[in-house]
Each structure stands twice: as structure tokens, then as C-alpha cells.
Amino acid sequence: MIDDLLRPPSTAWGVAADLVRLAALLSVIAVLLWWGPVEFAVLFLVLGGVLVSRMVQVDPRIDAAYGMALLVAAWSAVVDLYERISWWDLVIHTLATAAIALIAYLLLLRMRYLPRPGPGRRAATGVTIITLALGLSLSVVWEFAEWAGNKYITNEINVGYEDTLGDIAAGGFGSLVAGMALASTLSRSRHPISVNAH
């Protein structure tokens, strides 16, 4: 997987995905210099996430979209966009959780923790259910992180019963849609993880 991280991109979308990774690295440096440790931690996690997607060797269009979703989610927190636009939090939870659940499924598939799905509706349903379960699980982890951040770091992190349930529901919806899209893609392709995509 380290070799995958070091290989040069071979398509325009691969270059775009790598530019998103460069933006994540520059974002980490920027928040380290001009913001605080919370913002640094958030962007550092994003940097790790975009490196993982390169090692998974997904289609570079998915890779670029995934990286952008993570960057937008992180920068929305840094510039207080969640406080300024009331519905933005649900949009980001929907899109970012969908992207993360999809990459998590493909990572588990690449590492052979999941079997390659076969043809048919039963296999497609299994892909959808697993992607949904991953998204819901990651949504809960996300909410635990928000709670811990609010309790131990800064009370500026918005938490509450309705906020938590809404975020998990949005993440679950996004993961369900991502799972159905992934199931459709896997049923049409023998190589959903494109080895030479970048």
C-alpha cells in the first residue's frame, strides 16, 4: 500500500485528487500557523483520510470528490460556517459520511476483510447494508468526538440531543445512497478499485 501512495498519477483526475491532497497538507500548515490546536487536529485527520483514499486506489474521480468533501467539512468548522448557516451541518454530515463510508467499504475490500461481491441482487443488498452500517458506525464515532471536544476542549463545539440525532440520521441517509451507488457500480465492474487509476 505504501507503493500506491508513492506512484505518480496517470490521469487528469488523478492529478486533481493529488492536488486535493496537497491542499490538505497546506491546510494543516495554515491552521498550525494561524489557528489553534483543535483546528490543527481536525485538518490533520483530513490529511490522514486523503492519504488513505490514495492507498485504496479508488477511481480518481471518487478520490477527488472524497477529499473535497473532507476538506469542505473541516474548513466549515474552522471558519464557523456551521454556526452561520443552520442547515449546513446536515448537508456536510450527509455528504462527508457518504464519502467516508464508501472509502471505508473499499478499504476493507482491498484489505480482504470483505469478500468481493458477486453478481445479483443479494450481493448488491449486502454491499448496501455494509456501507450503511459503516456510515452509521462512523457517524456515532463522529458524534462521540464532538461530545468529547465540547466537554474537554471547547464548548464552542455544538452538541445536543437533536443535533446528534439529526447528524446521525443525515450520515445514515448519505451512507445508504452511497451504498446503493457502490452496489450498482460493483455489479457492473469487475475492478471497482482501479489499480492504475491515478
Side-chain angles (χ1 to χ4, degrees), residues 100-124:
I100 294 168
L102 191 147
I103 294 296
Y105 181 95
L106 292 176
L107 177 63
L108 292 173
L109 186 63
R110 171 87 196 276
M111 297 176 71
R112 297 193 174 118
Y113 287 114
L114 293 174
R116 186 169 295 279
R121 190 169 27 174
R122 173 173 267 175

Side-chain angles (χ1 to χ4, degrees), residues 31 35-45 74 77-78 149 152-154 157:
V31 295
W35 277 274
V38 173
E39 293 83 2
F40 172 78
V42 169
L43 266 302
F44 191 75
L45 285 173
V78 172
Y152 298 110
I153 299 172
T154 175
I157 298 172

Side-chain angles (χ1 to χ4, degrees), residues 3 11 19 42 44 48 50-52 63 105 112 119 124 128 153 177:
D3 291 341
T11 68
L19 287 175
V42 169
F44 191 75
V50 296
L51 292 177
V52 166
D63 190 8
Y105 181 95
R112 297 193 174 118
T128 303
I153 299 172
V177 173

Side-chain angles (χ1 to χ4, degrees), residues 1 45 86 94 101 121 131 165 167 194:
M1 290 181 109
L45 285 173
S86 61
T94 302
R121 190 169 27 174
T131 307
L165 289 181
D167 292 349
S194 44

Side-chain angles (χ1 to χ4, degrees), residues 102-182:
L102 191 147
I103 294 296
Y105 181 95
L106 292 176
L107 177 63
L108 292 173
L109 186 63
R110 171 87 196 276
M111 297 176 71
R112 297 193 174 118
Y113 287 114
L114 293 174
R116 186 169 295 279
R121 190 169 27 174
R122 173 173 267 175
T125 301
V127 170
T128 303
I129 290 170
I130 292 171
T131 307
L132 172 60
L134 287 168
L136 286 171
S137 300
L138 292 166
S139 290
V140 171
V141 171
W142 189 330
E143 293 306 311
F144 274 135
E146 285 188 358
W147 169 81
N150 174 276
K151 185 167 180 66
Y152 298 110
I153 299 172
T154 175
N155 60 9
E156 293 179 10
I157 298 172
N158 186 30
V159 295
Y161 184 72
E162 288 187 11
D163 176 73
T164 297
L165 289 181
D167 292 349
I168 292 172
F173 174 74
S175 301
L176 177 63
V177 173
M180 291 188 295
L182 182 59

